Amino acid sequence: MTYLAKPRFHHPALPENSLGYTRRDYEGSVSTLCAGCGHDSISAAIIQACFEVDLPPHRIAKLSGIGCSSKTPDYFLGASHGFNTVHGRMPSVLTGANLANRDLIYLGVSGDGDSVSIGLGQFAHAMRRGVNMVYIVENNGVYGLTKGQFSATSDRGSKSKRGVVNHDAGIDLVGLALQLGATFVARSFSGDKAQLLPLLKAALTHRGAAFIDVLSPCVQFNNHAGSTKSYDYVREHNEAVNRLDVIDEREPIHVDYEPGTTTLVTQHDGSVLSLHKLAPGYDPSDRVQAIAYLQSHQARGEIVTGLLYVDPQACDLHHALGTVDTPLNALGDAELTPGAVALEKLNASLR
Ligand SMILES: Cc1ncc(C[n+]2csc(CCOP(=O)(O)OP(=O)(O)O)c2C)c(N)n1
Ligand code: SF4
Ligand SMILES: [Mg+2]
């Protein structure tokens, strides 16, 4: 793999966040993706979101699978922990890391091939178990890295660059995540930073499985007429359910109140989501309605974007398992080997 380090020079007047970091402290190496690839815009939004919510880079762990999308963690958060796993296996490796050290903030980055073709089972179990993570799929409807084969998110009837028509039904990850029990479900578009940035910030403050499907055109293999994941197609068929801002519990980051159009949602950790409703009557706390809304718009050929569903009281896998507050990897011999008497007591309780 080629690594191109970014020059460290930056303007001395660059704004700092509350930790004293500038945006540049959240960058990674220079991207080697094709110019105009949607994935690079997502990397830029991740950098901005982590900077704006004041995350210490060394407390973040970014994990990915294989693909152009899965290469992107090299292009952001250069000072964070990183693990480029095997194709489709990011969720299980991330689950293991999360169980071992619950104190890190987990970012899972994947592609539609990585998560929906080879890794569909892994995706499903991470969602249903409520692994505390932000799971981002950079969805271009093709296997970009291996030269443009259809993926399982390609819509039926869409055309490849060479004119081949896809006859299989496409899998909608947002609908799937809703059915699987994800407690934060959103969709956005790589070319809509104004929508993607607050969604990322909200997902980073959510405790539980937060899923964001980001439509991300592949300019090399899926940006032509006939593709349903191209820049033009998505722009023409985008139906936004809401706009949101994230308000930190103590210090407002950015607020844009519009009388009569705002609903506040307090999350489990005390942070507040401010939802600006564009679709009259849309309620992001109703999972059943979210599924129905999604499907009715899908039937009309519309791609619903925005925050589809959030459970403000969500609990994560550690809560379900009742693990101790101390990260398991920080426990010493005394806690891990309590001795024969404790073992005998445990065995007796199971008889
Ligand atoms: C076990 C295994 N099978 C197949 C491959 C070949 N392969 C590499 S990337 C990829 C698809 C990537 O598609 P996607 O996740 O959508 O990423 P994109 O490149 O489109 O961003 C495939 C099939 C592999 N690396 N490992
Ligand atoms: S092949 Fe497609 S997905 Fe891969 S870097 Fe190029 S534009 Fe992006
Ligand atoms: Mg892809």
Side-chain angles (χ1 to χ4, degrees), residues 39 68-69 111-114 138-145 149 151 153 216 218:
H39 299 351
C68 297
S69 35
D112 42 308
D114 195 62
E138 305 189 348
N139 185 357
N140 52 18
V142 287
Y143 300 168
L145 189 73
Q149 302 87 345
S151 82
T153 66
S216 175
C218 168

Side-chain angles (χ1 to χ4, degrees), residues 5-28:
K6 273 194 186 157
R8 292 303 303 162
F9 310 116
H10 62 255
H11 196 280
L14 270 187
E16 293 179 354
N17 62 15
S18 73
L19 302 174
Y21 292 121
T22 69
R23 190 187 171 285
R24 301 252 8 225
D25 294 312
Y26 293 82
E27 291 179 348

Side-chain angles (χ1 to χ4, degrees), residues 155-214:
D155 292 305
R156 181 176 271 153
S158 66
K159 265 195 197 153
S160 74
K161 190 176 179 181
R162 296 179 60 198
V164 179
V165 176
N166 177 37
H167 296 292
D168 298 334
I171 293 176
D172 181 5
L173 280 173
V174 163
L176 206 54
L178 282 168
Q179 288 185 347
L180 289 165
T183 47
F184 180 110
V185 182
R187 175 154 46 216
S188 192
F189 175 44
S190 62
D192 187 356
K193 198 172 176 185
Q195 184 191 55
L196 179 57
L197 185 59
L199 283 175
L200 282 167
K201 288 162 63 177
L204 285 164
T205 61
H206 181 75
R207 186 188 301 170
F211 174 66
I212 312 182
D213 178 32
V214 190

